[in-house]
Amino acid sequence: MPAAIPATRRPELSKPPLPADAELIPKLLAGDETAYAQVVRAYHGLMIHLARAIVGEAFADEVAQEAWVAVLRALPRFERRSSLKTWILRIVSNTAKSRLRHESRSVSLDDTMSEQPIVDPARFKSNAHWASPPAMWHADTPDALLASSQLRSCIDAALRALPPMQRAVVSLRDMQGMDMETICKVLEVSESNGRVLLHRARSRIQQAIEEHETR
Amino acid sequence: MSFMPNCQDVTKHSSDYLDRSLSRWKRLGMWFHMMMCVDCRRYVSQLQLTIATLKKHPKANPPPVSNEQVDNVVKHVCQNLKPDD
Ligand SMILES: [Zn+2]
């Protein structure tokens, strides 16, 4: 019978707590398979989530597996300037980005630099005030919006249509609740570019909801 | 952006406003604009609702990882690490 775990450190159901990086890293370096399994159990889902956002459903599992090999190869050189989790996710991001470049040479990873406006300029008067302002939406809570399977597919389609880096930022920030500083480290973008990517992504999803909710 | 943003400025800075990453001065300007402009108030609250909806989206959570998947990854890693190390 294991000793009782203090309430503050009690793990989620069926998920044993992951030891601190300082305890975990030496075990991983020593090739301890139990430690491998612990770290894979803790981070693999999130790695697939991130890989999916960048490279799409079809290659996400492969990218995550490939990233694990890269992680354990590079681990002896890990300088611990960030947490192990951030560092692992950065490797996933890089693995996914190179996979994406390989799979579709022409695809542009992000469009931070594009001058495309957030809202169609035709919706503003010459003094930059609204000419066609936003209309009321039928639903006014997330649950009410998500109750419509049609709207859910509109949101999914809008997410799929985002440039990969926008999709990655919005997935990590708004869907995963990760902080922007970590996200920018993981995706290797500057804080200001990260914020631009996030706002563009959110605006496109908002637009998709608007089209559905005001028709 | 001067102190008082116009509606188009509001749409550009609305994420930063909601995430509290604008300077106090810009934040105040946005707040004043929205006090007076019902359209921008609606625009920003719809953006806020969009963010809240993404958070609750069924795909917001990473996929669950099965024991079998863990074993496969560990096996894959062990096989691929050996030749190089
Ligand atoms: Zn306005």
Side-chain angles (χ1 to χ4, degrees):
Chain A
M1 182 87 174
I5 300 162
T8 46
R9 287 195 50 209
R10 198 166 290 154
E12 291 161 40
L13 275 179
S14 80
K15 222 179 180 182
L18 189 68
D21 288 359
E23 192 183 323
L24 196 58
I25 293 167
K27 288 185 186 166
L28 295 172
L29 285 170
D32 177 340
E33 286 192 23
T34 314
Y36 282 3
Q38 273 179 311
V39 82
V40 170
R41 184 174 302 286
Y43 298 138
H44 195 62
L46 186 54
M47 290 165 72
I48 292 178
H49 185 82
L50 173 60
R52 255 182 209 165
I54 298 175
V55 80
E57 190 82 43
F59 303 110
D61 287 285
E62 250 178 81
V63 163
Q65 283 218 348
E66 206 183 306
W68 276 117
V69 177
V71 161
L72 291 158
R73 278 216 176 112
L75 194 62
R77 299 187 300 279
F78 175 44
E79 291 171 353
R80 307 189 194 189
R81 273 190 252 138
S82 64
S83 68
L84 182 64
K85 179 179 171 183
T86 303
W87 183 76
I88 289 177
L89 290 177
R90 188 157 64 214
I91 291 177
V92 176
S93 154
N94 284 326
T95 310
K97 283 185 208 169
S98 40
R99 182 59 179 262
L100 188 69
R101 280 189 210 103
H102 185 255
E103 292 301 331
S104 46
R105 259 149 242 221
S106 59
V107 87
S108 135
L109 270 171
D110 71 81
D111 66 355
T112 18
M113 298 310 142
S114 89
E115 293 299 309
Q116 237 188 6
I118 297 291
V119 176
D120 181 0
R123 292 185 66 179
F124 298 98
K125 293 185 266 195
S126 57
N127 65 1
H129 286 264
W130 288 102
S132 76
M136 284 261 278
W137 289 357
H138 304 309
D140 60 0
T141 64
D143 290 330
L145 286 169
L146 290 169
S148 153
S149 61
Q150 208 183 5
L151 179 59
R152 278 203 310 274
S153 1
C154 287
I155 296 176
D156 289 352
L159 280 166
R160 274 197 305 276
L162 290 175
M165 290 295 275
Q166 286 187 24
R167 193 166 47 235
V169 176
V170 81
S171 304
L172 294 179
R173 178 75 195 109
D174 292 336
M175 300 174 93
Q176 278 297 302
M178 206 178 267
D179 64 88
M180 273 314 274
E181 200 192 328
T182 307
I183 293 170
C184 294
K185 274 188 198 150
V186 164
L187 299 175
E188 294 181 321
V189 295
S190 69
E191 186 103 21
S192 62
N193 272 0
R195 298 218 58 88
V196 172
L197 291 167
L198 178 64
H199 188 48
R200 287 191 176 279
R202 285 172 171 176
S203 304
R204 292 198 192 182
I205 307 298
Q206 178 174 7
Q207 202 183 325
I209 301 176
E210 181 175 39
E211 277 160 22
H212 182 271
E213 283 297 298
T214 57
R215 83 175 154 214
Chain B
M1 182 166 107
S2 61
F3 171 69
M4 189 64 106
N6 57 41
C7 299
Q8 205 163 12
D9 293 330
V10 170
T11 63
K12 279 180 200 154
H13 300 285
S14 43
S15 270
D16 289 340
Y17 177 77
L18 290 174
D19 294 345
R20 296 185 154 269
S21 56
L22 284 179
S23 67
R24 264 179 74 168
W25 187 246
K26 282 188 174 173
R27 184 173 172 74
L28 201 64
M30 291 275 286
W31 186 81
F32 268 115
H33 180 108
M34 281 189 284
M35 284 288 285
M36 292 178 298
C37 178
V38 64
D39 296 332
C40 283
R41 224 157 42 227
R42 176 174 292 161
Y43 181 84
V44 173
S45 73
Q46 287 176 345
L47 177 64
Q48 199 166 24
L49 180 54
T50 300
I51 297 166
T53 303
L54 283 170
K55 192 176 287 177
K56 285 204 158 184
H57 191 281
K59 286 184 188 153
N61 292 317
V65 179
S66 67
N67 289 338
E68 197 192 342
Q69 254 176 310
V70 174
D71 291 345
N72 284 342
V73 172
V74 173
K75 209 190 286 168
H76 176 82
V77 165
C78 292
Q79 276 167 1
N80 283 278
L81 277 181
K82 295 275 153 61
D84 276 55
D85 298 328

